Amino acid sequence: MIDYIVVGFGLAGLSVVEQLERHTKSVHVFENYSQKSSRVAGGLYNPVILKRFTAAWDAREQLQKAIPFYRNIERKLQEKFIYDLAILRRFNSVEEQNLWFEACDKPILRQFLSATLYQNHNTALDIPFAYGKVKYTGRIAIQEMLGCYLNYLDQKGCLSQEVFEYDRIEVQNDCIRYKGLQAKNIIFTEGFGIKRNPFFNYLPVVGNKGEYIIIKCEQLQLNEAVKSSIFIIPLGEHLYKVGATYNHQDKSSKTTTSARIEIVKKLRTFLNVDFEIVAQVAGIRPTVKDRRPLAGTHPHYRNLHVLNGLGSRGILIGPATAENLYHHIEHGATLPKEIAIKRYETNSNKF
Ligand SMILES: Cc1cc2nc3c(=O)[nH]c(=O)nc-3n(C[C@H](O)[C@H](O)[C@H](O)COP(=O)(O)OP(=O)(O)OC[C@H]3O[C@@H](n4cnc5c(N)ncnc54)[C@H](O)[C@@H]3O)c2cc1C
């Protein structure tokens, strides 16, 4: 009998598995690479919503949990994944500069926003109204981290790289049986793949497709992430991730010409030099109607649990939410009401 089966290994699965490992729980992970959100993500952590200059929900607490959490993974896997990276917000007008300075005076935002105007000295970029700079930002090399963690699980014999078949679960009072495995609990972390999960597909994961292009541009020489209508995120070796798009209609993970055209058009409004597109990626963000994560235990089956709804901010939200879920399962702690799936209980089904 093992302690946990975890279905899905994106940011939600990683946050859950690392939390379980910290508490020396035994785990077996299923991953079939059907969803791509975490593997294509920009990997930025940023406590501020740069469209409106507001603080992201619970950002301070999440930052305090997330960075030590990823450092721990770095130590465990003996690899570097966390990169300090400044985020510069390009202003479109003097009015926007003024809104930024107003935001700098607000108590929650003061800690995250620099009240200095940053002038641009990079001739490849057109930045007529300067930048504002966000503090406590960076990038997690998420694709590399997931890959290394999966290798680690594989070496321990705790990974099945295959589809999890929901109709093969036997739910018993004190355990779950699945093929040859017997576990005390199962946690589902399938991102947008939750739509196929008969136990939890009542939860309102809407899904929002995002695409990036990756460009090569030797003349750009940029060491910070720049946010205008889209992000430019430096990856090293003259490569940059540029995007992303938001599309709530198309629910496939295929890249599209329309997204490429949209990103290039926006990029050309402030990048003056030529570039080469070397790749394009797409994934579905597991977004929820009320923009809050989903954590908790199935209303009718006490061994089935879920962590989902990380939306467009999985890097920061994942670790804190996984910790809450762990204490809920193991110690009966009440989940914060914003994240508890109890808020959607009336939609649930028993079969
Ligand atoms: C273009 C884009 C850019 C983004 N940029 C950022 C960013 O800069 N910063 C940030 O914080 N967030 C960003 N996000 C959001 C972030 O990626 C998500 O919050 C996060 O990836 C969600 O993680 P998840 O584990 O819930 O889902 P996923 O990453 O989709 O992982 C779910 C996993 O479950 C597996 N799975 C599903 N069903 C099954 C099954 N039946 N059997 C086995 N395995 C299964 C899938 O293969 C997948 O690996 C971005 C997202 C996109 C799309």
Side-chain angles (χ1 to χ4, degrees):
M1 171 92 96
I2 56 166
D3 293 313
Y4 286 85
I5 291 173
V6 175
V7 180
F9 199 77
L11 272 167
L14 172 116
S15 302
V16 159
V17 170
E18 176 60 12
Q19 193 62 237
L20 294 172
E21 286 235 324
R22 274 187 185 191
H23 292 92
T24 62
K25 300 290 178 191
S26 49
V27 186
H28 194 93
V29 173
F30 286 83
E31 170 55 55
N32 74 337
Y33 308 99
S34 53
Q35 290 294 324
K36 301 192 163 49
S37 182
S38 303
R39 284 168 185 82
V40 306
L44 294 180
Y45 57 89
N46 161 28
V48 178
I49 296 172
L50 288 169
K51 203 167 177 186
R52 301 187 290 270
F53 308 157
T54 52
W57 167 71
D58 221 14
R60 188 155 168 245
E61 289 68 22
Q62 288 165 6
L63 256 179
Q64 281 168 352
K65 298 245 153 101
I67 305 310
F69 183 90
Y70 295 120
R71 286 235 183 284
N72 227 30
I73 297 180
E74 283 189 330
R75 271 194 295 272
K76 177 159 111 178
L77 303 181
Q78 305 265 300
E79 289 279 347
K80 183 169 171 57
F81 304 117
I82 309 176
Y83 295 90
D84 285 338
L85 182 68
I87 296 184
L88 300 175
R89 168 62 154 85
R90 174 185 186 262
F91 295 127
N92 293 309
S93 60
V94 174
E95 288 73 28
E96 250 192 7
Q97 290 176 348
N98 290 337
L99 288 174
W100 179 272
F101 289 121
E102 273 174 35
C104 288
D105 282 338
K106 294 186 182 154
I108 308 172
L109 285 164
R110 190 176 301 144
Q111 59 192 319
F112 297 134
L113 302 183
S114 164
T116 309
L117 268 187
Y118 286 79
Q119 297 301 332
N120 173 48
H121 303 291
N122 187 333
T123 51
L125 291 167
D126 182 20
I127 314 286
F129 297 102
Y131 296 113
K133 183 174 170 183
V134 188
K135 299 185 217 168
Y136 308 113
T137 57
R139 186 174 79 84
I140 305 289
I142 180 68
Q143 196 172 359
E144 290 79 356
M145 186 162 70
L146 289 171
C148 284
Y149 212 117
L150 281 170
N151 283 342
Y152 159 82
L153 291 172
D154 200 22
Q155 277 163 21
K156 286 196 354 170
C158 306
L159 174 66
S160 296
Q161 303 192 58
E162 62 188 50
V163 63
F164 184 87
E165 297 169 60
Y166 302 99
D167 54 0
R168 301 281 300 271
I169 302 184
E170 287 172 53
V171 187
Q172 298 179 343
N173 217 8
D174 54 349
C175 75
I176 307 288
R177 285 176 201 277
Y178 179 76
K179 298 187 176 171
L181 284 172
Q182 204 179 335
K184 289 184 194 151
N185 290 286
I186 182 161
I187 306 183
F188 293 104
T189 52
E190 311 107 314
F192 191 65
I194 195 175
K195 292 287 175 203
R196 296 215 165 90
N197 181 331
F199 300 99
F200 287 107
N201 62 4
Y202 71 88
L203 293 170
V205 176
V206 183
N208 195 311
K209 181 169 179 173
E211 297 191 48
Y212 276 119
I213 58 170
I214 290 105
I215 62 164
K216 185 158 196 179
C217 183
E218 295 196 359
Q219 285 170 274
L220 182 50
Q221 303 287 336
L222 186 65
N223 295 316
E224 300 92 3
V226 166
K227 167 78 171 96
S228 182
S229 50
I230 46 169
F231 265 106
I232 305 181
I233 306 169
L235 302 175
E237 296 177 1
H238 307 297
L239 294 172
Y240 301 87
K241 225 169 196 177
V242 184
T245 55
Y246 289 81
N247 181 335
H248 61 267
Q249 265 145 5
D250 177 0
K251 300 291 160 70
S252 84
S253 296
K254 290 201 178 111
T255 56
T256 61
T257 309
S258 58
R260 189 165 67 245
I261 291 170
E262 178 189 329
I263 297 168
V264 168
K265 195 170 163 199
K266 287 181 175 169
L267 182 60
R268 287 206 198 283
T269 61
F270 65 109
L271 179 68
N272 301 322
V273 292
D274 286 339
F275 55 87
E276 179 194 352
I277 300 175
V278 295
Q280 186 174 351
V281 291
I284 315 286
R285 305 171 182 91
T287 50
V288 181
K289 263 207 284 197
D290 65 5
R291 293 163 191 260
R292 294 290 176 266
L294 297 162
T297 301
H298 194 280
H300 306 299
Y301 302 104
R302 63 193 178 91
N303 300 333
L304 307 190
H305 317 276
V306 67
L307 178 60
N308 209 304
L310 300 187
S312 54
R313 294 185 164 259
I315 301 265
L316 281 185
I317 297 177
T321 314
E323 188 180 308
N324 282 323
L325 180 63
Y326 176 80
H327 290 298
H328 168 71
I329 299 171
E330 289 288 330
H331 309 120
T334 307
L335 286 161
K337 64 177 186 324
E338 298 100 313
I339 71 170
I341 56 169
K342 235 179 182 351
R343 67 195 194 275
Y344 295 115
E345 201 164 294
T346 47
N347 304 354
S348 71
N349 40 10
K350 183 175 174 146
F351 43 87

